[in-house]
Amino acid sequence: MAEPILQTTDLVKRFGGLVATDHVSLSLVPGELHAIIGPNGAGKTTLVAQLSGEMAPTAGRVRFDGQDITDLPMPRRARLGLVRSFQITSICPEFSALDNVAMAVQARLGHSFHFWRNARTDPALIMPARRVLEQVDLAARADVPAGLLSHGEQRQLEVAIALATEPKLLLLDEPMAGMGREESQRMVSFLQTLKRRYTILLIEHDMDAVFALADRISVLVYGKVIATGLPDEVRANPEVQHAYLGDEAEEAAAAEAANA
Amino acid sequence: MSEKPSAFLSRRGGATTLCFAVLALIPPLAGWLHEPFLIRQFIQIMAMGLAAMSLDLILGYGGLVSFGHAAFVGLAGYTVGILDFHAGDGSLFLGLIPGTTNALIAWPAAIAVSMLAAALIGLVCTQAGGTVFFMLTLAFAQMVYYGFSGWTLYGSDEGLSMGGRSELPLLDISDNTNFYYFCFAVLLLCFLAMRAIVGSRFGMVLRGVRQNERRLAAVGVPTRPYRLAAFVIAGGFAGVAGILLANYQTFVSPGDLSWTRSGELISMVVLGGLGSLIGPVLGAAAYLLLRLVIGSYTTHWAVVFGPFLILVVLFARAGLFGFVVRGREV
């Protein structure tokens, strides 16, 4: 097995008495698409925050690309190539779609202490930004203020921004969140095209999407990884069925009871 | 803005050109009307407008609500005034530095003082955002204010009168018309410089800071150094405004760096249009002319200005400049 590109060792995050991340040890090999699934409240968001650098773990280490990054803030991690997208769309609403992507290109090209040259006519920023927008099918919407794009388009833009940084590892936090069926399917086929070109850690709720895309799946329940393996192994794992799918069944039953 | 960006930009450019054209024509107009007083009034408008424009750089573009901007204007003014004071009696500032009335020495020194103060104050203030930033800038500006109002050598609350305007080679700025066109040129150059800055990569980061700081961090831009740099740059331009203002008044006082002056600058920016650079100059003109006109009828001119500002904010979100630009849309 190749040297892992991302590895967490006994990652723990406590909020008072609550253990949101409970000794999580994950390992991603270059080129794989690894999905993390788990019911609501499993600690997926907290885990993402610790991987991206927004939140410091209580204990444990995170290594990325041969380097310990546990103590690095989010911008430093992003520049090393560990780049995330957000579950709740996070864009600059007044900037055009193109500006949003160009900003990511600008970040990749180094510091932004350039005071004179017009950034909006700088081919070093605009050309790569346009290419990425074409990739995600947003080229026709390049000049629209991002805040006026449809929800689906904003989700595409969210991914485009991450791609424009040319990441070594893409951390996609529920890219299908809030999308309709058709949009979801489009996003799945788009992620399919990214597979192998990028190492991807996909946090996702949509089971169909996860089983269609993932090389390996880790199941997070109450902050703990209860299983990691190939999709079929995970599907067949009785513990997973009980903890995860069972939970959903219980939830569904509860919802029905509430409706009745 | 969304539909026809090029048409919008040209309208913006047209309105900006018009503003400068009007400013350029004030002295002949004043001569024609036999109102030399107009020249002085518009020197003040341009100096205050430049101060407001520099505030717009951080307030309108970066979303950094500084309530201490007048401190950087006043510090530069005091630098010019203090150097003039020591030149007058041949004494030394702090027993070390001789005074001067030479603009080529005093003015760069004044800008340096403003930028240095902005760097020191900004170093603390930019650790925080939002309300904390606002309160910290106010607190530091008040420290500067009390420092000067207690400094008896330089007139305390009474302020410090200068022997005259600074001396420039080749141009006699003690003549009001000369000084007017000099201020006009400075305003134009500062505007062009700031317009370049807000359009640059640095400017894009600054605008991004206002819209979504977390997004910038997520793509690898640590925002604090940029916020600090913007604060220092704005402080430098505020210093330029302070130099013009001190020379216009040939007098500096703690009032030039008080929090009420900072509040006036914010009013001018909001009134003229946040994030437009030239808007704040319009705002300064509207503010100062309204004060002049209404002030000639009543000392409670703010009773009229307050509701006016509220109306502008309610009905012309983009301020007077936005109103002008929009108003020409068919």
Side-chain angles (χ1 to χ4, degrees):
Chain A
M1 213 166 167
E3 176 81 4
I5 184 159
L6 179 77
Q7 190 166 31
T8 70
T9 328
D10 283 329
L11 211 59
V12 175
K13 181 70 188 177
R14 283 196 194 90
F15 296 107
L18 178 79
V19 187
T21 305
D22 192 355
H23 297 89
V24 168
S25 296
L26 280 175
S27 172
L28 263 74
V29 288
E32 80 167 319
L33 195 158
H34 193 120
I36 294 183
I37 59 173
N40 280 326
K44 300 191 293 286
T45 305
T46 309
L47 182 61
V48 170
Q50 290 169 88
L51 296 179
S52 64
E54 277 195 293
M55 203 182 265
T58 312
R61 310 304 295 175
V62 183
R63 285 182 69 79
F64 175 70
D65 203 18
Q67 189 179 344
D68 189 316
I69 60 164
T70 317
D71 301 319
L72 296 186
M74 183 153 72
R76 291 280 303 281
R77 294 187 195 200
R79 271 177 299 168
L80 289 175
L82 168 52
V83 177
R84 68 170 298 179
S85 74
F86 290 95
Q87 178 187 356
I88 296 165
T89 305
S90 181
I91 50 176
C92 293
E94 291 165 35
F95 277 167
S96 68
L98 186 65
D99 286 339
N100 269 278
V101 180
M103 175 61 72
V105 176
Q106 179 176 326
R108 165 169 60 82
L109 294 179
H111 69 78
S112 296
F113 287 105
H114 299 279
F115 298 97
W116 301 115
R117 187 162 182 188
N118 191 320
R120 284 190 168 128
T121 56
D122 187 345
L125 301 176
I126 297 308
M127 311 242 299
R130 283 205 186 277
R131 274 200 297 276
V132 176
L133 281 181
E134 274 162 28
Q135 237 186 305
V136 301
D137 250 351
L138 275 180
R141 308 285 276 159
D143 296 323
V144 178
L148 299 182
L149 294 173
S150 74
H151 178 77
E153 289 170 332
Q154 289 184 350
R155 299 303 299 164
Q156 286 165 273
L157 180 60
E158 181 80 35
V159 177
I161 293 169
L163 286 180
T165 63
E166 294 187 358
K168 291 186 187 134
L169 186 139
L170 255 180
L171 184 52
L172 298 176
D173 190 2
E174 303 206 13
M176 267 76 90
M179 275 189 168
R181 183 116 204 102
E182 211 171 300
E183 283 175 330
S184 276
Q185 275 163 0
R186 269 218 306 277
M187 182 61 90
V188 169
S189 45
F190 174 63
L191 294 182
Q192 203 69 260
T193 68
L194 297 183
K195 210 171 148 175
R196 300 288 165 265
R197 287 198 286 150
Y198 298 91
T199 311
I200 299 175
L201 182 61
L202 175 69
I203 316 292
E204 190 46 70
H205 228 78
D206 184 333
M207 286 300 126
D208 295 341
V210 167
F211 282 97
L213 284 167
D215 296 311
R216 288 197 299 157
I217 297 174
S218 293
V219 183
L220 197 66
V221 176
Y222 294 123
K224 236 186 227 180
V225 174
I226 60 165
T228 293
L230 303 172
D232 287 340
E233 294 169 8
V234 168
R235 212 196 304 257
N237 185 318
E239 211 181 333
V240 174
Q241 283 178 351
H242 173 73
Y244 185 72
L245 303 171
D247 237 40
E248 288 238 309
E250 273 166 38
E251 264 174 39
E256 252 170 50
N259 284 336
Chain B
M1 178 172 164
S2 56
E3 281 152 26
K4 287 184 268 173
S6 59
F8 176 77
L9 285 179
S10 66
R11 257 201 310 278
R12 241 179 126 95
T16 304
T17 311
L18 187 68
C19 285
F20 278 107
V22 168
L23 284 175
L25 291 174
I26 291 293
L29 181 72
W32 185 61
L33 293 173
H34 301 290
E35 288 280 9
F37 153 81
L38 262 184
I39 294 180
R40 281 186 57 81
Q41 181 59 58
F42 273 83
I43 290 173
Q44 189 192 18
I45 285 172
M46 289 193 290
M48 290 294 274
L50 178 56
M53 189 191 283
S54 70
L55 175 61
D56 192 29
L57 195 64
I58 48 175
L59 177 62
Y61 289 90
L64 304 169
V65 187
S66 167
F67 211 91
H69 204 61
F72 308 118
V73 180
L75 274 169
Y78 261 103
T79 307
V80 172
I82 288 172
L83 289 174
D84 176 90
F85 170 83
H86 289 290
D89 68 1
S91 61
L92 299 175
F93 173 65
L94 300 177
L96 292 168
I97 304 165
T100 178
T101 55
N102 185 344
L104 297 183
I105 299 168
W107 295 3
I111 296 170
V113 166
S114 285
M115 290 181 82
L116 189 67
L120 292 173
I121 292 174
L123 211 53
V124 178
C125 297
T126 55
Q127 284 183 356
T131 323
V132 179
F133 175 82
F134 171 90
M135 295 304 288
L136 283 173
T137 52
L138 175 61
F140 277 106
Q142 285 301 88
M143 281 166 57
V144 175
Y145 172 81
Y146 285 113
F148 280 101
S149 54
W151 204 339
T152 26
L153 180 59
Y154 303 120
S156 313
D157 286 330
E158 305 291 311
L160 179 63
S161 281
M162 289 164 55
R165 288 185 186 146
S166 305
E167 284 155 18
L168 269 176
L170 305 175
L171 183 70
D172 176 18
I173 58 170
S174 64
D175 174 77
N176 273 340
T177 307
N178 283 354
F179 187 50
Y180 182 92
Y181 281 113
F182 180 77
C183 291
F184 176 81
V186 169
L187 180 69
L188 183 59
L189 287 175
C190 289
F191 166 73
L192 292 174
M194 281 188 251
R195 196 181 61 173
I197 289 172
V198 297
S200 70
R201 289 189 189 186
F202 177 83
M204 292 304 276
V205 170
L206 191 59
R207 297 168 189 220
V209 163
R210 178 172 57 80
Q211 297 175 58
N212 192 342
E213 213 166 334
R214 191 168 174 226
R215 165 40 73 200
L216 295 193
V219 294
V221 181
T223 54
R224 191 171 164 220
Y226 297 96
R227 282 186 283 132
L228 177 59
F231 196 73
V232 174
I233 292 169
F237 282 110
V240 175
I243 291 168
L244 298 184
L245 210 57
N247 276 286
Y248 155 74
Q249 301 170 152
T250 57
F251 172 71
V252 283
S253 76
D256 292 331
L257 33 72
S258 68
W259 69 269
T260 49
R261 178 60 60 81
S262 294
E264 283 181 321
L265 292 177
I266 293 178
S267 300
M268 289 172 189
V269 176
V270 172
L271 181 62
L274 285 158
S276 64
L277 294 181
I278 197 68
V281 179
L282 278 179
Y287 183 93
L288 293 169
L289 292 176
L290 268 177
R291 186 169 71 179
L292 180 77
V293 173
I294 306 168
S296 65
Y297 296 103
T298 168
T299 51
H300 304 291
W301 79 283
V303 175
V304 179
F305 179 75
F308 177 66
L309 183 60
I310 291 170
L311 286 177
V312 168
V313 171
L314 282 180
F315 295 106
R317 279 289 167 82
L320 294 175
F321 186 70
F323 192 70
V324 170
V325 170
R326 270 279 196 73
R328 297 163 96 220
E329 202 169 15
V330 185

